[in-house]
Amino acid sequence: MPEIDPWGDVEVGEYREKMEKFGIEPIEEIADKLPDHRYIRRGIIFGHRGMDEYLDALDDGEDVAMITGIMPSGMFHLGHKIVVDQVLMYQEMGADVTLTAADIEAHNTRGISLEDAREMVIEQYLTNYVALGLDLENVDFYFQSQAGNDHLARSKLFAKHLTRNEMDATYGEPSPGKIASALMQYADILRPQFPENGGPKPTVVPVGIDQDPHIRLTREVARKASQDFYKPASIYNKFMRGLQGGKMSSSDPKSYIALTDSVEEEKQKIDEAKTGGRDTLEEHREKGADVEEDMVFELLAFHLIEDDSELERIREEYESGEMLSGELKQIAKEKLEEFLLAHKERREDAREEVEQFVEENVESELV
Ligand code: TRP
């Protein structure tokens, strides 16, 4: 198996090693040119390819684009929110936003029917995007299975620029279903640059590092294609770990907080989360917590505390042993309760907008 498998189990950590091995640039050098976002201040966004060129173009007032996609695989949770927060950031920076619902990929690689994928995307994904603040008005949103003939034709034509060896080295002898999904994704990534969408133009793709194999090959396709494309830039975020430690997984509800979780569920999940607290009170007071191994602190840092000095104060108190795990959990529970209740209302408000959007933009007939 290749070191990074976009369809395998997500491997959390070892980011430095992978960056060096695959030539991903550290974010630090360009961080001051990006908006002041907690993901950047906290190293949650850690690396990129080709962002210098993208940011220069933005500086020069050129038209720029952002594209990303999510494969529908279950409940929409706080791990997914990391991508949506970034979409909002680029929308605010003035990028044209394209969003893919990867139903062909879900069908080919996860055995999810197009029908189930559609329902998940509308009920879970779109509704939560809008509730999180996405303005669908200026977004090119589409299902892969409805991408349009030119998009689908191009995804097949791109195959010409890649070899069997490249595919095997990148994906580890991919099945036909994976090859079809990968080709689809190259077209997704280059879509904002199609002539009918005003391309070519600099494009950024915010993703988890598991998607880097697709980015590498799309950059290769962009270079070789007869059409004029900018090589897409990419920017990588760390994965949130599961609440119990290890990976966050759509198939294990205890590992994530869904944006539709009730306050009771949320509190119970936090109660059962893995912390960096010590076994006895005495030991905790003496050594302090191991903050790096604390999933509740991770939750605060990724999503629940915007103010750096507030987060730092908590870190110091917790690391010194002054604050106990139970107290940390209490803070997280309250913040999350506030977020989930407000989000629930925003989701109710979003429903009508999403319904109308779907009516106007999604073909009702399935393939
Ligand atoms: N493969 C991505 C996932 O597993 C989904 C996806 C499809 C995507 N097309 C894309 C992501 C284009 C970024 C850009 O979630």
Side-chain angles (χ1 to χ4, degrees):
M1 260 297 139
E3 189 142 334
I4 303 181
D5 175 5
W7 300 288
D9 280 343
V10 164
E11 196 188 308
V12 185
E14 324 270 320
Y15 297 111
R16 289 278 147 201
E17 212 178 294
K18 287 177 192 142
M19 282 170 73
E20 269 166 37
K21 172 144 192 207
F22 293 102
I24 294 171
E25 309 286 334
I27 204 72
E28 286 80 13
E29 288 148 32
I30 56 157
D32 59 347
K33 290 201 236 157
L34 287 163
D36 178 26
H37 195 286
R38 68 178 185 282
Y39 290 158
I40 292 161
R41 297 197 304 269
R42 296 174 190 170
I44 291 168
I45 292 175
F46 64 90
H48 74 96
R49 290 184 190 275
M51 276 304 274
D52 316 72
E53 192 191 18
Y54 182 85
L55 291 167
D56 285 347
L58 193 69
D59 247 6
D60 294 345
E62 280 178 51
D63 243 11
V64 297
M66 185 236 71
I67 147 94
T68 193
I70 301 186
M71 171 163 67
S73 60
M75 302 295 276
F76 187 92
H77 56 60
L78 286 178
H80 299 120
K81 179 172 172 285
I82 301 168
V83 171
V84 179
D85 287 339
Q86 292 179 75
V87 175
L88 298 177
M89 183 177 102
Y90 290 103
Q91 192 165 50
E92 203 152 294
M93 285 160 77
D96 303 329
V97 172
T98 302
L99 283 177
T100 307
D103 61 344
I104 290 185
E105 183 179 15
H107 174 273
N108 282 3
T109 69
R110 293 280 176 98
I112 292 172
S113 71
L114 292 185
E115 195 172 6
D116 288 349
R118 159 141 351 156
E119 191 182 311
M120 268 188 257
V121 166
I122 295 170
E123 292 296 318
Q124 288 285 324
Y125 293 72
L126 273 179
T127 311
N128 283 304
Y129 288 171
V130 172
L132 287 170
L134 187 73
D135 176 8
L136 282 177
E137 177 110 17
N138 297 308
V139 171
D140 175 15
F141 167 87
Y142 66 98
F143 283 87
Q144 285 179 330
S145 67
Q146 301 183 352
N149 187 69
D150 289 359
H151 184 124
L152 293 164
R154 286 192 187 103
S155 83
K156 292 183 170 38
L157 296 167
F158 290 152
K160 173 168 179 276
H161 306 301
L162 298 165
T163 66
R164 172 70 168 264
N165 277 345
E166 275 172 309
M167 294 303 274
D168 285 353
T170 308
Y171 300 117
E173 303 189 0
S175 67
K178 289 180 180 175
I179 294 177
S181 307
L183 288 167
M184 191 67 214
Q185 186 154 343
Y186 311 151
D188 295 337
I189 292 172
L190 295 173
R191 179 179 175 101
Q193 301 201 58
F194 294 165
E196 64 271 28
N197 295 327
K201 59 185 136 174
T203 302
V204 61
V205 195
V207 276
I209 196 168
D210 64 320
Q211 299 294 306
D212 187 55
H214 298 312
I215 301 288
R216 293 196 301 265
L217 291 191
T218 311
R219 285 165 66 87
E220 185 72 6
V221 166
R223 190 170 66 79
K224 289 188 177 156
S226 51
Q227 225 175 327
D228 230 4
F229 289 119
Y230 285 84
K231 272 204 224 176
S234 52
I235 191 157
Y236 303 95
N237 60 264
K238 289 183 181 166
F239 295 106
M240 247 181 113
R241 288 173 288 181
L243 289 171
Q244 318 258 332
K247 57 184 201 309
M248 185 177 287
S249 160
S250 296
S251 57
D252 177 9
K254 281 189 168 180
S255 75
Y256 61 74
I257 303 281
L259 275 78
T260 44
D261 273 352
S262 67
V263 172
E264 292 73 53
E265 284 169 314
E266 166 259 299
K267 289 189 170 166
Q268 189 171 353
K269 287 180 184 183
I270 291 186
D271 271 333
E272 294 172 5
K274 177 183 172 214
T275 73
R278 307 292 173 179
D279 291 343
T280 64
L281 178 63
E282 199 181 17
E283 195 191 345
H284 188 90
R285 293 287 189 216
E286 191 190 320
K287 292 188 186 156
D290 181 356
V291 174
E292 294 313 313
E293 290 307 313
D294 196 294
M295 303 308 127
V296 180
F297 188 84
E298 187 151 307
L299 199 62
L300 295 178
F302 271 72
H303 295 292
L304 298 177
I305 295 185
E306 189 56 53
D307 179 0
D308 286 351
S309 58
E310 185 182 352
L311 190 68
E312 237 4 77
R313 184 184 55 76
I314 292 173
R315 178 197 286 280
E316 279 164 21
E317 286 182 17
Y318 196 37
E319 256 176 353
S320 72
E322 193 184 325
M323 182 184 286
L324 302 175
S325 299
E327 292 166 333
L328 184 80
K329 284 181 170 176
Q330 195 53 37
I331 295 173
K333 282 186 213 171
E334 281 167 21
K335 300 231 181 231
L336 200 48
E337 171 169 7
E338 195 183 321
F339 170 76
L340 288 174
L341 291 178
H343 186 75
K344 190 173 175 195
E345 272 183 34
R346 290 191 296 258
R347 217 178 32 245
E348 289 311 317
D349 293 343
R351 207 147 261 154
E352 205 175 315
E353 184 180 335
V354 169
E355 249 168 53
Q356 195 180 339
F357 181 83
V358 168
E359 199 159 303
E360 287 166 10
N361 294 277
V362 179
E363 286 165 40
S364 52
E365 198 104 342
L366 287 167
V367 175

